[in-house]
Amino acid sequence: MDEKLIEYIRELIPEDQRVLTDQADLYSYSFDASFGMHVPELVVQPKHTDEVAAIMKLANQYDIPIYPRGQGTSLSGGPLPVKGGVVLDLSKWDSKLEIDAEDMVAVVSPGVLTADINEAAMERGLMYPPDPSSSHVATIGGNLAENSGGPRGLKYGVTKDYVIGLEVVTPEGEVIQTGGRTIKNVTGYDLTKLIVGSEGTLGIITEAILHLSPKPPATETLMALFDDIVDSGRAISQVLSGGILPSKMEMMDQASIQAVENYQPLGLPTDVEALLFIELDGHPAAIEQEITEIKQICLQAGAREVKVAQTNDEARELWKARKLVSPAIVRVKPTKISEDATVPRSKILDLFQTLKEIKEKHQVDLVVFGHAGDGNLHPNIIADKRDEEEMKRVEAAVEEIFEAAIKLGGTLSGEHGIGTMKSPFLEMELGEVGVDMMKRIKNSWDPNHILNPGKIFPDPGQRLVLTDES
Amino acid sequence: MDEKLIEYIRELIPEDQRVLTDQADLYSYSFDASFGMHVPELVVQPKHTDEVAAIMKLANQYDIPIYPRGQGTSLSGGPLPVKGGVVLDLSKWDSKLEIDAEDMVAVVSPGVLTADINEAAMERGLMYPPDPSSSHVATIGGNLAENSGGPRGLKYGVTKDYVIGLEVVTPEGEVIQTGGRTIKNVTGYDLTKLIVGSEGTLGIITEAILHLSPKPPATETLMALFDDIVDSGRAISQVLSGGILPSKMEMMDQASIQAVENYQPLGLPTDVEALLFIELDGHPAAIEQEITEIKQICLQAGAREVKVAQTNDEARELWKARKLVSPAIVRVKPTKISEDATVPRSKILDLFQTLKEIKEKHQVDLVVFGHAGDGNLHPNIIADKRDEEEMKRVEAAVEEIFEAAIKLGGTLSGEHGIGTMKSPFLEMELGEVGVDMMKRIKNSWDPNHILNPGKIFPDPGQRLVLTDES
């Protein structure tokens, strides 16, 4: 990289420790929670909008790619510097976390942890609903870039549903404000919702205004065990079509239950095919009645057993199994390929069936859990990336998972983003013209292709490769 | 217009009566519910996606503007053919209205009436929440183009929050599918939410997939009368910050109450400064308790009287006053300029104060009502467009309303769209770069400026003119 550019950046950023050039430092920015290693040429930790704007202007001048990054918990390669260049680490920029209870909004800097926003809101009787599993580690900036979901998405929607305003540095280094502090806004195109979920390819979010909800007065949790996975699907469907909208409806398949029991025995029966966790929130009188109805629906659908938590501690105990899935499965094998194929609600059972076939056909360790209530499952393949033959089978299985989701009327990604690994499949879902319309936006906003290149849109001829991490 | 083009269009559309050239027919497409008259050169009533695609291709070839139109209830000039050319009347295309209860979606053609979607959903125990006042007359296509709101927006959000998939004809006549039938989808840029609310400038929506909610088991309605408008604002704020989220929170000011009582006496006291209507929906046990809490909050905030409807008929009776506002005020004077300036919730009282000052300063008939719970008020000015001197005062007042909304951290438009009248003020809210980023999208999608020109983006030097309708 041009020494002059580094010099200019050093002039912009007064403190030395916010510009990292040391190889050891650079290496720690070479990966995220997905796959592949790419060492950046430089890492900068901006803490002001004008720093970001100036860096983007320089990057255009010197034709150097820029990759915004939060805490690197991305499951799709969002922050990886795949074309070389500069990583902007925004995780240190956590100076602002303001709750305005009257406007029911939070105003936040990009480096604030997502869970901290919800906690601050809770203190004022409010709630920030999006709850990705990584919320205690991940930054809101990353959540915004990827439009993160989470279990509560079933009732409350995803990150995008709560963003009403942004401050954004454009790919060419201009600063714009989108939306504002009002719940309703139809002035011009909705740049807010275009930028949220654009995986850092259309702008760098330097501040966000988030809409908050009233904190629900009570929650109740129920766990149901099913001998037959088909019965669990029927129970989900009957609950939802019966007019009850739980805050969460999570499932674990037999392989997930077994992995958890091997990792930390919780006393779950490992001979059941599926386990459902259902959480209700709202008015205490309403949810008490609803939880009884759900219990009956589950039993009638064929549940072996239904447990309703009587206390908050009991509820936490029930949720423990779901929280342990991810750590448990990486104990089986070191490499985890975490997908988020999503299908229409009515196709969940078909997806289960297809996943079972794929697992057998390619002899891969496939574990399925996730947000069953909204059709957003997490098929995880666990493998060992040093085993080239196994990884070839994993490649084939992953490709078939994507094909199955689309064939069932679903999508490549429900909440993780396209990033690097799913981009070869983009056209399969969107068609040539659909991809072209997206590229037109990208090209008109970032004519020099400076911002997060190599994400969403595949390079010509690019295909999924898990065997060579270069 | 080129005779050849008309000939080609006649070849595309088999039935004669779907291509209108008669002057009397064309005149009936020259206005909407906003301001101004513009006679189109041709009206076509397409009923198939390939007809729309072919027309768009021809329009690009012949450089003829195309204006999509529903039932013409737009309050911002969305369907007006301001640059001449062809109006596409999509209101006859109502062939599809499918409810899939298991996927909890409705799939609809653009000409289906919005209220019919909700009614069909209700029959299956579901609900389509967006409820603009015009929902029994307006088409879903128009609602999608303008991202319509409505009273239920407070709890349920607006049209955009329910759209998960679209079939769209691009400005150059290609057909794309955006999103799909899944609740979650982060595959590529969110074209769905970009196109919804783009006022027919980025594409023509030929089919939509709408997400439905469970139908709430019960509703309750309350009306509160306030001697002091400031007290009503405090009551709204206390209800929301107390953890209750009503489905509707509507207000009427004294002028609206007086207009209604003059039009059709309902026995409302005309000496109160404000009237609040609050509707709750949800579980019966929950809302019964909540309505008691709200009653107490209103009385403590200084309400003169609070009435809780005991039956559905009583609730309908209470809502009657709110529904009569629009017909009542046009009886006072024939011309209605309906605005939808929206401010952060905490600034509602400031907006009331400023509106009062503007009314006095410019001596205009200003009536205020609307969705107070979400900061989206409807200041309506009633006037007589034949009175040029009065219209000059209206122009000045409207301009000051926009300025006030933006100064209070709000927006030009909460739910009606920018269209023709508000476009001169766009840059005041978005800044030069903000407008430029929107124009880049428009130019990259519609390089020949064929689709709905003259909307959202002002012509150079354009300003608000209400005195010359030419």
Side-chain angles (χ1 to χ4, degrees):
Chain A
M1 205 162 67
D2 199 312
E3 278 304 317
K4 226 168 182 143
L5 175 60
I6 302 182
E7 203 178 296
Y8 283 137
I9 289 175
R10 283 202 187 280
E11 276 169 30
L12 280 173
I13 310 283
E15 304 95 12
D16 237 20
Q17 72 275 24
R18 293 206 279 127
V19 181
L20 312 178
T21 49
D22 193 76
Q23 279 302 307
D25 289 336
L26 298 182
Y27 264 95
S28 60
Y29 288 91
S30 65
F31 54 85
D32 64 4
S34 73
F35 201 83
M37 273 190 81
H38 304 270
V39 184
E41 297 168 71
L42 186 76
V43 173
V44 185
Q45 297 174 333
K47 290 187 172 183
H48 301 282
T49 305
D50 50 4
E51 290 174 358
V52 176
I55 289 169
M56 289 315 296
K57 287 205 164 119
L58 280 173
N60 274 275
Q61 206 179 316
Y62 282 86
D63 198 20
I64 295 290
I66 299 285
Y67 310 86
R69 180 186 175 99
Q71 285 278 42
T73 58
S74 172
L75 290 162
S76 56
L80 297 181
V82 294
K83 308 270 182 193
V86 181
V87 165
L88 289 196
D89 172 10
L90 297 153
S91 69
K92 310 297 171 190
W93 185 355
D94 59 358
S95 46
K96 192 184 269 189
L97 168 47
E98 289 172 9
I99 305 289
D100 182 330
E102 212 179 343
D103 283 346
M104 294 176 76
V105 298
V107 185
V108 297
S109 302
V112 170
L113 298 187
T114 302
D116 290 349
I117 300 170
N118 187 43
E119 204 170 297
M122 287 280 184
E123 283 170 20
R124 306 292 299 273
L126 297 164
M127 166 168 73
Y128 174 66
D131 60 341
S133 302
S134 56
S135 65
H136 287 88
V137 187
T139 64
I140 186 67
N143 280 195
L144 292 164
E146 301 290 337
N147 188 21
S148 304
R152 275 205 292 236
L154 177 62
K155 177 170 178 177
Y156 290 99
V158 294
T159 302
K160 183 173 291 185
D161 300 310
Y162 294 87
V163 191
I164 57 173
L166 295 174
E167 181 186 79
V168 176
V169 175
T170 71
E172 294 177 302
E174 303 292 336
V175 182
I176 58 170
Q177 316 285 336
T178 73
R181 284 171 97 95
T182 61
I183 307 305
K184 286 175 171 173
N185 182 326
V186 293
T187 297
Y189 299 155
D190 194 339
L191 301 187
T192 308
K193 288 187 181 357
L194 177 66
I195 291 165
V196 174
S198 67
E199 306 189 19
T201 66
L202 292 181
I204 298 176
I205 296 168
T206 49
E207 190 166 294
I209 305 174
L210 308 170
H211 174 46
L212 304 171
S213 293
K215 178 181 164 182
T219 56
E220 294 252 19
T221 298
L222 168 156
M223 182 179 81
L225 301 163
F226 290 87
D227 289 319
D228 187 339
I229 201 166
V230 175
D231 292 341
S232 74
R234 215 171 44 235
I236 291 172
S237 186
Q238 283 174 4
V239 168
L240 292 170
S241 61
I244 299 176
L245 188 57
S247 46
K248 302 178 188 171
M249 263 185 146
E250 297 288 299
M251 73 85 58
M252 284 168 63
D253 74 348
Q254 191 164 21
S256 327
I257 300 168
Q258 285 165 348
V260 168
E261 282 297 315
N262 285 334
Y263 175 64
Q264 183 175 324
L266 296 173
L268 296 173
T270 51
D271 62 333
V272 293
E273 267 192 16
L275 199 164
L276 286 189
F277 295 102
I278 301 179
E279 185 187 276
L280 289 165
D281 68 8
H283 192 281
I287 61 173
E288 201 185 301
Q289 205 170 313
E290 286 173 350
I291 206 112
T292 311
E293 284 173 47
I294 293 177
K295 186 175 175 178
Q296 274 164 0
I297 289 172
C298 287
L299 289 171
Q300 271 162 19
R304 179 198 290 192
E305 193 189 341
V306 179
K307 278 186 198 166
V308 178
Q310 299 304 322
T311 63
N312 284 346
D313 281 345
E314 272 184 52
R316 247 190 307 276
E317 217 29 60
L318 291 183
W319 278 108
K320 206 170 175 182
R322 173 65 182 85
K323 285 189 201 296
L324 286 175
V325 177
S326 282
I329 59 179
V330 286
R331 283 280 288 263
V332 183
K333 281 183 184 173
T335 307
K336 183 173 70 128
I337 309 291
S338 180
E339 289 311 331
D340 62 329
T342 302
V343 294
R345 255 186 258 264
S346 61
K347 297 292 188 296
I348 293 177
L349 289 175
D350 300 84
L351 183 60
F352 272 131
Q353 187 53 42
T354 312
L355 289 173
K356 207 170 154 183
E357 286 160 23
I358 292 171
K359 181 178 183 166
E360 278 158 20
K361 179 176 165 192
H362 297 288
Q363 290 295 307
V364 289
D365 273 318
L366 179 65
V367 175
V368 183
F369 58 96
H371 321 309
D374 54 18
N376 179 197
L377 294 178
H378 292 310
N380 274 244
I381 300 179
I382 38 179
D384 187 337
K385 65 183 172 189
R386 292 160 301 188
D387 182 342
E388 202 164 313
E389 187 277 326
E390 181 181 31
M391 293 312 281
K392 282 277 169 209
R393 283 184 282 120
V394 174
E395 273 173 18
V398 167
E399 204 161 325
E400 285 186 24
I401 293 173
F402 293 147
E403 279 164 9
I406 290 172
K407 216 166 142 190
L408 291 168
T411 180
L412 294 173
S413 180
E415 57 181 17
H416 294 170
I418 296 302
T420 52
M421 264 174 57
K422 278 169 246 169
S423 61
F425 306 96
L426 195 68
E427 206 171 293
M428 178 166 87
E429 178 169 338
L430 300 173
E432 203 183 322
V433 183
V435 174
D436 173 57
M437 297 313 278
M438 292 183 186
K439 275 191 183 162
R440 290 188 191 197
I441 297 173
K442 170 66 176 173
N443 293 336
S444 75
W445 278 39
D446 187 10
N448 302 322
H449 300 94
I450 296 301
L451 199 53
N452 215 7
K455 312 300 162 64
I456 303 181
F457 305 108
D459 290 332
Q462 190 186 330
R463 45 178 299 278
L464 174 68
V465 179
L466 298 175
T467 43
D468 178 17
E469 290 204 37
S470 65
Chain B
M1 203 160 69
D2 199 312
E3 278 304 318
K4 235 189 171 126
L5 175 60
I6 302 182
E7 205 178 294
Y8 283 137
I9 289 175
R10 283 201 189 281
E11 278 170 28
L12 280 173
I13 310 284
E15 305 95 12
D16 237 20
Q17 72 275 24
R18 294 206 278 126
V19 181
L20 312 179
T21 49
D22 192 77
Q23 279 303 307
D25 289 336
L26 299 181
Y27 264 96
S28 61
Y29 288 90
S30 66
F31 53 86
D32 64 3
S34 72
F35 201 84
M37 276 189 79
H38 304 270
V39 184
E41 297 168 70
L42 187 76
V43 173
V44 186
Q45 297 174 334
K47 290 186 175 185
H48 302 282
T49 305
D50 50 4
E51 290 174 359
V52 176
I55 290 169
M56 289 314 297
K57 286 203 164 120
L58 280 173
N60 274 274
Q61 205 178 316
Y62 284 85
D63 197 21
I64 295 290
I66 300 285
Y67 309 85
R69 180 187 175 98
Q71 284 279 42
T73 57
S74 172
L75 290 161
S76 57
L80 296 181
V82 293
K83 309 268 180 192
V86 181
V87 165
L88 289 196
D89 172 10
L90 298 153
S91 69
K92 311 296 171 189
W93 185 355
D94 58 358
S95 46
K96 193 185 270 188
L97 168 48
E98 289 172 9
I99 304 290
D100 183 329
E102 212 178 342
D103 283 346
M104 295 177 76
V105 299
V107 185
V108 296
S109 302
V112 170
L113 298 188
T114 302
D116 289 350
I117 300 169
N118 187 43
E119 205 171 297
M122 287 279 185
E123 283 168 20
R124 306 293 299 274
L126 296 164
M127 165 169 74
Y128 174 66
D131 61 341
S133 302
S134 56
S135 66
H136 288 87
V137 187
T139 64
I140 186 66
N143 280 194
L144 292 164
E146 301 290 337
N147 188 21
S148 303
R152 275 205 292 236
L154 176 63
K155 177 171 178 176
Y156 290 100
V158 294
T159 302
K160 181 172 293 182
D161 299 311
Y162 294 88
V163 191
I164 57 173
L166 295 174
E167 180 186 80
V168 176
V169 176
T170 70
E172 294 178 300
E174 302 293 336
V175 181
I176 59 171
Q177 316 285 336
T178 74
R181 284 170 96 95
T182 61
I183 307 304
K184 287 175 173 175
N185 182 326
V186 293
T187 297
Y189 299 154
D190 194 339
L191 300 186
T192 308
K193 289 191 182 349
L194 177 65
I195 291 164
V196 173
S198 67
E199 307 189 18
T201 66
L202 292 180
I204 298 178
I205 297 167
T206 49
E207 190 166 293
I209 305 173
L210 307 171
H211 172 48
L212 303 171
S213 293
K215 179 181 163 181
T219 56
E220 294 252 20
T221 299
L222 166 157
M223 182 179 81
L225 301 163
F226 290 88
D227 289 318
D228 186 338
I229 201 166
V230 175
D231 292 342
S232 74
R234 214 171 43 233
I236 291 171
S237 185
Q238 283 173 3
V239 168
L240 292 170
S241 62
I244 301 175
L245 188 57
S247 46
K248 303 177 187 172
M249 264 186 147
E250 297 287 299
M251 72 85 57
M252 285 168 62
D253 74 347
Q254 192 165 20
S256 327
I257 301 168
Q258 284 166 348
V260 167
E261 282 298 315
N262 285 333
Y263 175 64
Q264 183 176 323
L266 296 172
L268 296 173
T270 52
D271 62 332
V272 294
E273 267 191 15
L275 199 163
L276 286 188
F277 295 102
I278 300 178
E279 185 187 277
L280 289 165
D281 68 7
H283 192 281
I287 61 173
E288 201 185 300
Q289 205 169 313
E290 286 173 350
I291 205 113
T292 312
E293 283 173 48
I294 293 178
K295 188 176 172 174
Q296 274 163 1
I297 289 171
C298 287
L299 289 171
Q300 271 162 18
R304 180 198 289 191
E305 195 188 339
V306 179
K307 277 186 198 166
V308 178
Q310 300 302 320
T311 63
N312 284 345
D313 282 345
E314 270 184 51
R316 247 191 307 276
E317 217 30 59
L318 290 183
W319 278 108
K320 207 169 175 182
R322 173 66 181 84
K323 283 189 201 298
L324 286 175
V325 177
S326 282
I329 58 179
V330 287
R331 282 281 288 262
V332 183
K333 282 183 184 174
T335 308
K336 183 173 71 126
I337 310 291
S338 181
E339 290 309 332
D340 61 330
T342 301
V343 293
R345 256 186 257 265
S346 61
K347 296 293 189 296
I348 293 177
L349 289 174
D350 301 85
L351 183 59
F352 272 131
Q353 187 53 42
T354 312
L355 289 173
K356 207 170 155 184
E357 286 160 22
I358 291 171
K359 182 180 183 165
E360 278 159 20
K361 179 176 166 193
H362 296 288
Q363 290 295 306
V364 288
D365 273 318
L366 180 65
V367 174
V368 183
F369 57 95
H371 322 308
D374 55 18
N376 179 197
L377 295 177
H378 292 311
N380 274 243
I381 300 179
I382 38 178
D384 187 337
K385 65 183 172 190
R386 295 160 300 188
D387 183 341
E388 201 163 313
E389 186 276 325
E390 182 181 29
M391 293 312 280
K392 283 277 169 210
R393 281 184 282 121
V394 175
E395 274 174 17
V398 168
E399 204 162 324
E400 285 186 23
I401 292 172
F402 292 147
E403 280 164 9
I406 290 173
K407 215 166 140 189
L408 291 169
T411 179
L412 295 172
S413 180
E415 58 181 15
H416 294 169
I418 296 302
T420 53
M421 264 174 57
K422 278 168 246 170
S423 61
F425 306 97
L426 195 67
E427 206 172 293
M428 180 166 85
E429 178 170 338
L430 301 173
E432 204 182 321
V433 183
V435 173
D436 173 59
M437 297 314 278
M438 293 183 186
K439 276 190 181 163
R440 290 188 191 197
I441 297 174
K442 171 66 177 172
N443 292 338
S444 75
W445 279 38
D446 187 10
N448 302 321
H449 299 95
I450 295 302
L451 199 53
N452 214 6
K455 311 300 162 64
I456 303 181
F457 305 108
D459 290 332
Q462 189 187 330
R463 44 181 299 277
L464 174 68
V465 179
L466 298 174
T467 43
D468 177 19
E469 292 205 33
S470 60

